[in-house]
Amino acid sequence: MKTLRLTTAATALAMAFGAGTATAENVVTVNAVQIFGTVDPAKINDYTEYMAGVNLYEALTTLDGSGAIQPLLAESWTTSEDGLTWTFTLKQGATFQDGTPVEAKDVVWSVDRLLAINEGPSYLFEGVLEEGAVTEIDSRTVQFVLSQTYAPFLTTTPILFVVNSDLAAENATGDDPWAQDFIANNSIGAGAFMLDSWERGASMTITAYEGYHLGWDEDSIDEVRFVVTNEEATVKALAASGELSMSSDAQAQETYDSIGALEDYRIVEYPTATNFYFKLNNSRPPTDDVNIRKAIAYATDYETIRDVILPGEPLSGPMPPIFADAYPDDVEIPVFDVARAQEYVNASRYAGQGPIDIEIMYVAGLAFEEEIGLLMKSILDPIGFNTILRPEPWNRMTELAGDVDSTPAINQVFYGATYPSPDTYFFTQYHSRAAGTWASMEWVQDPEVDAMIDAARATPDVDEQNAIYQDLQRKLVNDQVGVFLLTQRSQQAFHNCLQGFTWVPMQSFEFNFHTMKWVCD
């Protein structure tokens, strides 16, 4: 990797604010396959957007590789006996990227902004945080008063990113009181990196904030250049030239084999808590019929998908066994059985009317998802379906997921923990209040499911929570709300000089580039 020294627009901006960025010496180039739809911390909601968010912004807490919550902007916290009042003490010395201190008023304003905009992770706090629930006790103390018991609350705090409220207010208008236009194009957080440049759909560059409260050393990363492409040839060419520092985890196996054969690269494999599903639209024909859903499940060649197309571990239901006490051991691993699939097709209300039209939507350009689509078509068509493959750009898929009538019957989607609690797998994907996102393309809309999720969230008794989660998983599997393909076993290509990568059981938090180093012998 070449050593670069340059002055960027972000450097000039930081100097104007009275804080500098590190000279860009250790530069890494990272491949992403999905576009960065937004960098606004009140709106981010997918894998790539969180990759930006965790580098540009900070929250009160973070988590380590075991999933344990750790202090970040908050140095400590306490909770009341009833679990409704949480008080956080901010650490001294943390500053925003303009050099001003992070204070309690910024936390209050950021949470109020999230709830007012009502996008991103705001749905997690519906009925939990009301207007005025977050208050400044003093400049270093902020208090949250919950409206009801919410057992996973602390586990959600790593995604409550804090915004520089003074700078936002300077760029707000009467028509835009929350400075959405400004924050859509600028990073105004306390993160380790600052947004330098962003070409929508193609690239993004972030540069180190020299005043970052956790500090830097000579091996730290000074600049990260994201290249957005799902073209296998482009990724291989970047590696062949030595420019690639880290690939995405969504390449074809042949690409990993090709890059891994290069002298300066290694392929890292690691288990994850990210699942790959066929998300079946439960509220639209033909997958509104449980018999059709079960037919699709039995018509899925799990072993070929897991062993040949996309490496992964067997998955028995919506949640992997990462939360062992909440995991039901009696739910069986799904099996491939074409004869059983045919029986369910024949038992459905759509039988005897000719081939059943069914769409499979997947991310355009991802070779392995196209292979899975073709495999499914080869199995489904002979048993009574007319399978229509529908590749779409990711941003178009998320748009279609916003309405039950535009969400296709079958959707190939990865989903991993957004916060370290079983609740992340159930509320986000299956609760009626969370419907209308790419994560909830099942459109389950089941009052019984909603009641079970609400009950688990409302009880502070961990054993009782886990019993509910086990019963909930059994119900979702019995209702075949989706097809549970696998838990991803990720592969990524790394340049040998890029060190310090540690997987974290929370969406994209492993891609915190402050924790990585550029070390070349």
Side-chain angles (χ1 to χ4, degrees):
M1 184 64 65
K2 295 181 179 179
T3 297
L4 301 178
R5 296 182 182 274
L6 52 91
T7 300
T8 65
T11 306
L13 180 62
M15 291 175 64
F17 284 152
T21 57
T23 303
E25 295 177 341
N26 294 334
V27 179
V28 299
T29 299
V30 177
N31 166 230
V33 296
Q34 293 176 183
I35 68 169
F36 294 90
T38 182
V39 294
D40 186 329
K43 298 181 180 182
I44 58 177
N45 70 2
D46 69 23
Y47 176 85
T48 311
E49 292 168 2
Y50 271 104
M51 192 185 299
V54 75
N55 286 288
L56 300 175
Y57 289 90
E58 299 270 274
L60 293 169
T61 65
T62 187
L63 69 165
D64 60 22
S66 70
I69 298 296
Q70 301 293 332
L72 192 54
L73 291 177
E75 65 180 18
S76 63
W77 54 86
T78 60
T79 185
S80 59
E81 187 173 342
D82 61 8
L84 294 178
T85 301
W86 292 78
T87 305
F88 294 83
T89 300
L90 302 185
K91 71 175 290 187
Q92 291 182 310
T95 62
F96 290 111
Q97 293 162 352
D98 65 353
T100 59
V102 177
E103 296 181 333
K105 65 182 176 63
D106 300 299
V107 180
V108 174
W109 193 86
S110 300
V111 176
D112 287 347
R113 179 177 188 270
L114 171 68
L115 299 179
I117 292 175
N118 196 30
E119 296 184 34
S122 63
Y123 64 89
L124 295 174
F125 306 101
E126 182 182 344
V128 175
L129 291 176
E130 305 295 343
E131 184 178 355
V134 186
T135 56
E136 174 190 2
I137 305 302
D138 58 45
S139 64
R140 290 188 55 217
T141 310
V142 62
Q143 189 171 86
F144 292 70
V145 178
L146 312 187
S147 300
Q148 59 186 12
T149 302
Y150 179 33
F153 174 69
L154 186 62
T155 68
T156 67
T157 54
I159 57 177
L160 288 174
F161 293 126
V162 179
V163 170
N164 184 333
S165 61
D166 288 338
L167 184 55
E170 291 174 11
N171 290 276
T173 66
D175 293 332
D176 184 14
W178 298 109
Q180 294 182 62
D181 288 344
F182 182 72
I183 296 175
N185 298 290
N186 298 275
S187 61
I188 60 168
F193 292 86
M194 306 169 64
L195 181 63
D196 175 53
S197 63
W198 181 15
E199 184 180 350
R200 265 67 167 177
S203 64
M204 176 183 289
T205 299
I206 58 177
T207 54
Y209 166 47
E210 187 173 316
Y212 181 55
H213 66 101
L214 294 183
W216 303 94
D217 61 40
E218 63 180 11
D219 295 325
S220 295
I221 307 302
D222 298 307
E223 181 172 293
V224 182
R225 299 173 178 173
F226 294 102
V227 177
V228 181
T229 181
N230 53 25
E231 292 288 339
E232 308 283 340
T234 301
V235 177
K236 287 189 284 188
L238 286 169
S241 68
E243 186 176 352
L244 182 71
S245 305
M246 178 196 296
S247 77
S248 76
D249 61 356
Q251 306 300 328
Q253 185 61 49
E254 188 275 332
T255 297
Y256 294 120
D257 294 342
S258 176
I259 297 175
L262 298 174
E263 182 179 359
D264 292 333
Y265 288 87
R266 69 191 187 278
I267 305 301
V268 175
E269 295 189 25
Y270 53 94
T272 75
T274 297
N275 298 332
F276 189 50
Y277 306 92
F278 290 152
K279 287 184 170 287
L280 308 180
N281 188 337
N282 288 218
S283 298
R284 178 184 173 188
T287 42
D288 57 345
D289 186 330
V290 67
N291 291 297
I292 292 294
R293 299 198 297 271
K294 288 184 178 293
I296 295 167
Y298 277 110
T300 300
D301 187 347
Y302 301 92
E303 290 188 4
T304 295
I305 293 172
R306 289 194 305 258
D307 298 342
V308 179
I309 301 177
L310 179 66
E313 303 299 328
L315 179 67
S316 64
M319 186 181 76
I322 185 171
F323 301 106
D325 293 337
Y327 184 82
D329 293 330
D330 56 346
V331 175
E332 296 181 355
I333 298 297
V335 297
F336 176 42
D337 188 332
V338 176
R340 290 287 302 278
Q342 184 70 75
E343 291 174 5
Y344 278 109
V345 172
N346 295 342
S348 77
R349 63 177 176 270
Y350 298 104
Q353 302 175 29
I356 303 167
D357 288 342
I358 196 161
E359 287 186 320
I360 300 179
M361 185 165 68
Y362 60 92
V363 179
L366 286 187
F368 71 88
E369 291 196 356
E370 181 179 12
E371 289 180 43
I372 292 171
L374 290 168
L375 174 63
M376 290 302 298
K377 180 175 176 61
S378 72
I379 301 168
L380 290 173
D381 284 2
I383 62 172
F385 291 94
N386 173 39
T387 308
I388 303 161
L389 300 185
R390 184 173 178 178
E392 295 280 3
W394 175 247
N395 59 325
R396 176 60 176 161
M397 288 181 65
T398 63
E399 180 183 343
L400 292 169
D403 186 90
V404 64
D405 293 324
S406 61
T407 304
I410 306 175
N411 307 276
Q412 295 189 43
V413 175
F414 288 96
Y415 179 78
T418 305
Y419 46 100
S421 164
D423 184 68
T424 191
Y425 289 98
F426 300 113
F427 184 88
T428 306
Q429 297 191 96
Y430 307 115
H431 200 288
S432 296
R433 294 203 306 271
T437 76
W438 62 270
S440 56
M441 296 170 93
E442 292 86 352
W443 293 95
V444 172
Q445 308 291 282
D446 185 331
E448 184 179 350
V449 169
D450 293 347
M452 294 174 77
I453 296 171
D454 289 340
R457 296 179 120 208
T459 177
D461 186 299
V462 175
D463 291 337
E464 185 178 341
Q465 282 179 36
N466 288 333
I468 296 170
Y469 286 134
Q470 290 189 24
D471 287 342
L472 177 58
Q473 183 137 316
R474 294 183 185 102
K475 175 174 173 53
L476 293 167
V477 169
N478 185 62
D479 293 347
Q480 200 70 64
V481 298
V483 178
F484 313 111
L485 292 167
L486 55 86
T487 299
Q488 186 181 17
R489 188 170 63 247
S490 278
Q491 295 184 87
Q492 287 182 265
F494 285 82
H495 193 286
N496 288 333
C497 294
L498 186 60
Q499 301 293 325
F501 174 85
T502 301
W503 178 74
V504 176
M506 187 162 171
Q507 186 166 236
S508 300
F509 272 58
E510 64 266 36
F511 300 115
N512 179 348
F513 288 95
H514 179 264
T515 66
M516 301 184 212
K517 306 292 183 182
W518 187 258
V519 183
C520 291
D521 297 330

